[in-house]
Amino acid sequence: MKNIIIFGAPGSGKGTYSDEIVNRYNMGHISTGDVLRGEIKNGTELGKIAEGYIQNGQLIPDDLMISILAKTYDAMPAGKGVIFDGFPRTIAQAEALKKMLAERNHDMGVMIELIVDEETLLARLLNRAIEQGRADDNEETIKKRFAVYHSQTAPLAEWFEKEGMRNTFTWKGSKETMLSEIFAFLDTLK
Ligand code: ATP
Ligand code: MG
């Protein structure tokens, strides 16, 4: 499978659909949120830097995030497509990803955009707060993450549009429906 960038607001299901896609097409998976949470858990220098940003619902600075991403990508098994989950989140990150892949003669592949109404997003994140206890899943931080998403990340959809990579899927109340639409699209790429 080609590389895939999965894109959407906090709680839109990037991680959930990534897992399903990884299983079906036997791909690599890079979740930058998971990478950062792993660093925090292990108490690394990087984790100490990341923690404050995450708890405040802010993005980790681009330079740092881009170098983490390149290191993680180069450690992935070669020859399989990779799904990028949570990256890029800014135009600068998207430009950096494009450059990094071009330098390696790899294709950016396709972007999958998940559109979910904000009421559903908030309900999911509050529910996840109870189930997983993530430090940034509280109502105050969630509001900040939505604001950051709208100001810094959402404009990227247009960037992907210009690259001819944008493929939009809209939540209609059923995970199975969403998944079958995504699979039907990805099956045409194989
Ligand atoms: P979900 O996984 O439910 O879609 P989310 O997108 O808010 O929710 P993660 O992708 O796990 O969650 O990201 C959690 C936090 O990690 C972000 O709010 C941000 O602070 C930091 N982070 C993750 N990826 C990046 C990135 N590419 N650039 C900057 N910060 C990031
Ligand atoms: Mg996630």
Side-chain angles (χ1 to χ4, degrees), residues 15 31 37 85 134:
S31 159
R37 282 184 288 275
D85 161 8
R134 242 174 72 171

Side-chain angles (χ1 to χ4, degrees), residues 17 25 43 45 60 71 90 92 114-115 130 154 162 178 183:
Y17 297 114
Y25 304 103
E45 282 308 306
I60 275 69
K71 231 175 91 182
T90 63
L114 307 172
I115 303 274
I130 298 163
K162 288 196 192 102
M178 192 80 163
F183 285 165

Side-chain angles (χ1 to χ4, degrees), residues 5-144:
I5 294 163
I6 193 154
F7 182 87
S12 58
K14 299 185 293 289
T16 304
Y17 297 114
S18 292
D19 289 342
E20 303 275 0
I21 292 167
V22 162
N23 284 336
R24 185 175 171 99
Y25 304 103
N26 183 29
M27 304 179 68
H29 180 194
I30 298 177
S31 159
T32 46
D34 287 348
V35 170
L36 295 170
R37 282 184 288 275
E39 297 283 336
I40 292 171
K41 203 168 153 222
N42 293 327
T44 65
E45 282 308 306
L46 173 58
K48 282 174 196 150
I49 298 170
E51 199 163 17
Y53 290 102
I54 292 182
Q55 281 178 359
N56 278 312
Q58 304 297 315
L59 298 181
I60 275 69
D62 282 335
D63 288 358
L64 183 58
M65 206 61 233
I66 288 162
S67 74
I68 296 167
L69 194 273
K71 231 175 91 182
T72 309
Y73 183 75
D74 287 333
M76 297 300 285
K80 287 187 192 177
V82 167
I83 182 156
F84 296 94
D85 161 8
F87 189 100
R89 267 177 150 91
T90 63
I91 305 270
Q93 291 181 14
E95 297 285 0
L97 180 65
K98 185 177 178 183
K99 183 162 169 271
M100 182 196 87
L101 293 171
E103 282 166 2
R104 289 159 179 74
N105 276 318
H106 296 173
D107 198 73
M108 279 223 288
V110 295
M111 177 270 221
I112 289 181
E113 177 181 30
L114 307 172
I115 303 274
V116 181
D117 60 279
E118 201 142 307
E119 199 187 326
T120 303
L121 294 174
L122 183 60
R124 285 184 189 171
L125 292 169
L126 291 174
N127 186 48
R128 191 170 72 186
I130 298 163
E131 286 177 355
Q132 297 177 18
R134 242 174 72 171
D136 56 346
D137 283 344
N138 59 77
E139 193 147 5
E140 194 192 338
T141 309
I142 291 168
K143 294 258 156 70
K144 286 189 196 159

